[in-house]
Amino acid sequence: MSMTDSSQKRIVVAGATGFIGTELGQHLAGQHHLIGLTRSNRAQITHYNETRRVDLFSRQDTIDALKNADVAVYLVHSMMPSARLVQASFDVLDLLCADNFAYAAAANKIKHIIYIGGLQPTGDQNSKHLQSRKEVEQALAAHGVPVTTLRAGLVIGGKGSSFQILRRLVQRLPTMICPSWTNTLTSPVAISDVTWAIDKVIQHEEPKTAVYDLGVTSPVTYKKLMAQTSFAMGLSRTFIPIPLVTPTLSRLWVSLVTGAPKALVAPLIHSLQYQMVARNDPLFRLVNDPKTPIDKILPQAVRTANESDVKPRAFRRLNTPKSAPKVLSVQRAPLKAGQGPTWAADLYLKWLPSTMRGFNPISVTIDGDIVEFRLGSKGLLLLSFQRQQREDFATFVITGGCLAKTNHKGRLEFRSALNNTILLIGVYDFEPRLPWWIYRFTQATFHLWVMKRFIRFLSTQNHHQTNRLN
């Protein structure tokens, strides 16, 4: 496609090295100026004009990475940070990254965010994984930039992790047990339809907050999808229904047979219990959506997989170097009207000394913006923090003490998300001074215990109770 320079846009893609990001780069190459984001030190990402390193868990890092872009594409989900110890659930990390991305997009005056989300089940029941996808939609829109969400179920392509799981099951099991979840309906979508949709939104859709579904017109069960995959592979397979197999057992045998990490398989299996069917209402479909049928999707995916039988990136475990033993610990709590990060930080300072009185000889002293943990009232300094109030969150920077290395980045942070309805309390870039194996079972465990106690305390609070502490 020939385009003039004036029609080109600067597209920044978070998740550029993943399955969809790689295919998108190839699809858009030459049409726009593509900026690929990665957390690793890469010289260049194929088909992208620029490569920028970014830590999406850092707001400032994300602001820098999104500079001078017109449109931002968000392909990130369930990403684990490259910290040696992580005390956080995947939904908290997803929310944190999405909030940083949305804030950075607004700060850089980006015109449009495009997000690949997940199809939502009909009815009230939902998996934690799919609820997190919906929450990311809301977080991306919370800072004022229009967000177009393209909801997809199983994205099928030869190099995709979901199809590779399906392919390996069919390839390695002549006889397959089929738990009840294999009778669940789903609307798969071709990777080519996903890249087409992103391209269409970039070029033809006015920036607006909208949701569109992607996927085949006629949904199929996972059992039928496996049968059609075996046919596309030229294999004969027997499928035996077994209603007693639980999601936990399914996760274990799928991981064992396919070699996929349990962290990848677990949310996928739990989501498979719910029908994820794309809506055919024109209100929720892009005009001229290809809706490539399954009998065309699968043969192409099989051919691509056979031509490039390389382990998908999602199958590769994240190896965190022991040379950087940093800690990330993030917990969440609901916020009520009138509350916020500053309110929570003030409450924490009032609550902390009272809850620590039972841990003699550790004492907590607070002098203005300085917080100190000591052995005894005037003994050895364990940790010291200095409070720094920022625009929308309170930060306690670690300034010293025998339990921490001072790297000028370690901090305890109180911040809000989702229009001030969620409080995130996090320890970022902390480097312990204790030997790692001692730290994990002492200081790290104690910190998590304290945070959980504080969050329980927060849940009991209202404005009257807060006033009684003053």
Side-chain angles (χ1 to χ4, degrees), residues 61-78:
D61 221 39
T62 310
I63 291 172
D64 294 339
L66 267 60
K67 286 181 177 177
N68 302 317
D70 301 308
V71 177
V73 180
Y74 195 75
L75 305 175
V76 174
H77 61 91
S78 302

Side-chain angles (χ1 to χ4, degrees), residues 437-449:
W437 65 273
I438 296 177
Y439 165 78
R440 289 199 65 167
F441 296 104
T442 55
Q443 189 180 346
T445 301
F446 181 71
H447 165 75
L448 186 59
W449 179 83

Side-chain angles (χ1 to χ4, degrees), residues 119-372:
L119 290 175
Q120 294 297 304
T122 55
D124 297 330
Q125 291 187 323
N126 206 344
S127 73
K128 189 175 181 181
H129 179 69
L130 295 174
Q131 285 175 338
S132 175
R133 295 287 193 97
K134 181 72 174 294
E135 192 173 66
V136 167
E137 288 183 20
Q138 298 166 339
L140 290 174
H143 291 281
V145 179
V147 178
T148 296
T149 299
L150 302 171
R151 290 182 180 172
L154 197 65
V155 179
I156 297 182
K159 299 178 183 178
S161 57
S162 296
F163 176 72
Q164 284 288 355
I165 290 174
L166 185 66
R167 173 176 176 258
R168 292 181 183 202
L169 283 174
V170 171
Q171 189 175 49
R172 298 176 182 181
L173 294 175
T175 300
M176 301 181 64
I177 59 172
C178 294
S180 57
W181 58 259
T182 61
N183 292 317
T184 304
L185 287 172
T186 185
S187 296
V189 60
I191 180 61
S192 58
D193 289 6
V194 175
T195 57
W196 174 91
I198 297 173
D199 188 0
K200 180 177 176 62
V201 172
I202 290 172
Q203 293 193 49
H204 303 296
E205 293 291 311
E206 288 298 319
K208 61 181 178 180
T209 296
V211 175
Y212 299 104
D213 287 0
L214 305 178
V216 298
T217 304
S218 301
V220 296
T221 65
Y222 288 100
K223 186 191 299 182
K224 185 174 181 180
L225 190 60
M226 289 189 289
Q228 289 180 303
T229 300
S230 66
F231 178 79
M233 295 173 67
L235 300 173
S236 176
R237 293 294 183 255
T238 301
F239 301 93
I240 302 174
I242 301 181
L244 299 178
V245 178
T246 66
T248 300
L249 289 176
S250 295
R251 182 195 69 195
L252 291 174
W253 70 258
V254 169
S255 183
L256 180 65
V257 171
T258 65
K262 292 178 183 178
L264 172 65
V265 173
L268 179 64
I269 292 296
H270 283 287
S271 298
L272 298 185
Q273 302 172 75
Y274 306 96
Q275 285 195 168
M276 289 182 288
V277 176
R279 294 165 292 186
N280 285 321
D281 188 327
L283 290 175
F284 301 107
R285 288 285 191 164
L286 289 168
V287 177
N288 298 324
D289 180 356
K291 303 185 186 72
T292 305
I294 293 173
D295 60 359
K296 291 186 178 179
I297 297 175
L298 291 172
Q300 178 59 49
V302 169
R303 284 194 298 271
T304 303
N306 290 340
E307 292 167 0
S308 178
D309 196 8
V310 178
K311 182 183 289 188
R313 285 181 56 83
F315 276 44
R316 305 170 203 168
R317 301 179 190 277
L318 176 64
N319 295 318
T320 304
K322 293 185 178 181
S323 59
K326 294 182 181 179
V327 176
L328 176 67
S329 178
V330 189
Q331 288 75 46
R332 67 186 286 170
L335 285 173
K336 301 175 184 176
Q339 300 173 351
T342 299
W343 168 86
D346 291 341
L347 188 63
Y348 177 73
L349 292 181
K350 294 170 183 175
W351 170 86
L352 188 60
S354 62
T355 201
M356 292 296 293
R357 288 192 188 112
F359 291 93
N360 290 325
I362 299 175
S363 67
V364 180
T365 59
I366 301 172
D367 183 8
D369 291 332
I370 305 296
V371 182
E372 294 183 343

Side-chain angles (χ1 to χ4, degrees), residues 326-328 369-373 381-388 395-413 426-433 439 443 447:
K326 294 182 181 179
V327 176
L328 176 67
D369 291 332
I370 305 296
V371 182
E372 294 183 343
F373 290 78
L381 179 64
L382 301 176
L383 282 174
S384 63
F385 299 82
Q386 182 169 5
R387 181 170 178 171
Q388 296 178 352
T395 301
F396 295 85
V397 178
I398 299 171
T399 54
C402 66
L403 293 181
K405 295 180 181 178
T406 306
N407 61 9
H408 306 292
K409 292 184 178 180
R411 62 200 185 277
L412 170 66
E413 201 168 82
V427 171
Y428 303 91
D429 294 323
F430 177 72
E431 294 189 57
R433 193 177 292 277
Y439 165 78
Q443 189 180 346
H447 165 75

